[in-house]
Amino acid sequence: MKSKVYFTRRTDCDGLLELYKALGFTLKGNVAVKLHSGEKGNQNFVKPEFVRPIIEHVGGTVVECNTAYEGARNTTDKHLELMKYHGWTKYFRVDILDAKEDLELAIPKGKTIQKNLVGKDITKYDSMLVLSHFKGHPMGGFGGAIKQLSIGCASSAGKAYIHSAGITTDQTKLWDNVAKQDAFLESMADAALSVVDFFKGNVVYINMLVNLSVDCDCCAVAEDPCMQDIGMMISLDPLAIDQASIDMVYQSKDRGRDHFVARVERQHGLHTLEAAEEIGLGSREYDLITID
C-alpha cells in the first residue's frame, strides 16, 4: 500500500507549521522533538529559529543523544554547552536522552542487529516529532528520517553498536571495528525499526530539503550546499519520506545534483532503503501530495 507524503516548495518556518497542520495528525502526550543540534563549526544545520513555531505548536522538548566520536557532543556537559551556544536552550526545553543511562530495545525482525541501545530518557515521552535536515552523509551517503531514528536516537554505545554492525558498544574500539558498508546501512534500518516500534506509530516525520550539502551536520568542517533548496515533506512513514526525498534529488535539474548523487552512490546509500523495506519499516511506494 502506498504511503502519503505531503510536500511544499516553501522553505520558511511558517510553511513548516502549515505542513504539519496539513497532515491532520496530532502528536499527543509528552512530545519528544528529535533533531540535529549541529556539530561545533558546522554551518549547515537547521537553526532553532526556523523550527521554533512548530516545536512550540506541539509543545515539544528537543531531544538529542551524545556522539561516539571526539568532538563537542561526545559528553553530556559538552553537548549541553554546545546546544546553548547554538541557541537551542534559549527557546526550548532540552533533554540529552543518554545523559544517565541506556535502554536496550529488542529488534526481533532485525536483518543485521537484533538489539539497539538508546538513551533511557526516551521512556519519558509518548510521541515523537522527527525533524530531519535531509542532506548527504560521509558514511551513509545521505541522511533523513531513518538516520535520525537510528544513529540519532542511539546512545553513544548504541552508535558504536550500529556502526560496527553489532560487534562492539565500546566507543573507544569503534574505529577498529567499523562494519562493512552494507552491514552498517542494514544496522541503521534495524535500529530505526526499534524506535518506531517503541512509539507504536505515534511519530511524525518531517524532512527539510534545504542547505543540501553532501556532508552531514555532524561534520565540524562541512562542504557548503551544492544544490538549491527543494522544499519540505511530512509523512507518517519514515521510509516513504526518505524515498520521496531522494527521488526529488535524483530528478532534480540542479547543477549540483550529480555531485550529491555521487556521494549517495559511493556509499551505496540506497541500500538503507532496500533494507528498511525488507524488514517492514515502511513503504517505498508513496503518493506525493503537493499542498502549495
Side-chain angles (χ1 to χ4, degrees), residues 220-234:
V221 179
E223 190 177 294
D224 285 334
C226 63
M227 296 180 66
Q228 293 295 313
D229 294 350
I230 293 175
M232 301 182 291
M233 297 182 185
I234 191 168

Side-chain angles (χ1 to χ4, degrees), residues 87-156:
W88 297 109
T89 58
K90 178 180 178 180
Y91 302 112
F92 314 116
R93 298 185 302 273
V94 171
D95 189 358
I96 305 299
L97 297 180
D98 62 333
K100 296 179 180 178
E101 201 172 347
D102 291 358
L103 173 70
E104 182 176 312
L105 301 178
I107 319 173
K109 298 180 182 177
K111 179 179 176 66
T112 298
I113 58 174
Q114 280 69 52
K115 70 176 183 180
N116 182 29
L117 296 170
V118 299
K120 191 171 184 180
D121 275 2
I122 200 171
T123 58
K124 292 162 38 177
Y125 301 95
D126 306 296
S127 58
M128 178 174 277
L129 174 62
V130 179
L131 289 175
S132 303
H133 172 209
F134 190 86
K135 68 284 180 191
H137 191 274
M139 295 186 70
F142 72 91
I146 294 174
K147 178 184 174 293
Q148 277 280 38
L149 286 169
S150 56
I151 296 174
C153 291
S155 65
S156 293

Side-chain angles (χ1 to χ4, degrees), residues 48-68:
E49 292 77 12
F50 185 82
V51 295
R52 183 181 179 185
I54 191 170
I55 295 176
E56 291 182 344
H57 181 77
V58 302
T61 298
V62 170
V63 303
E64 260 283 32
C65 284
N66 294 319
T67 62

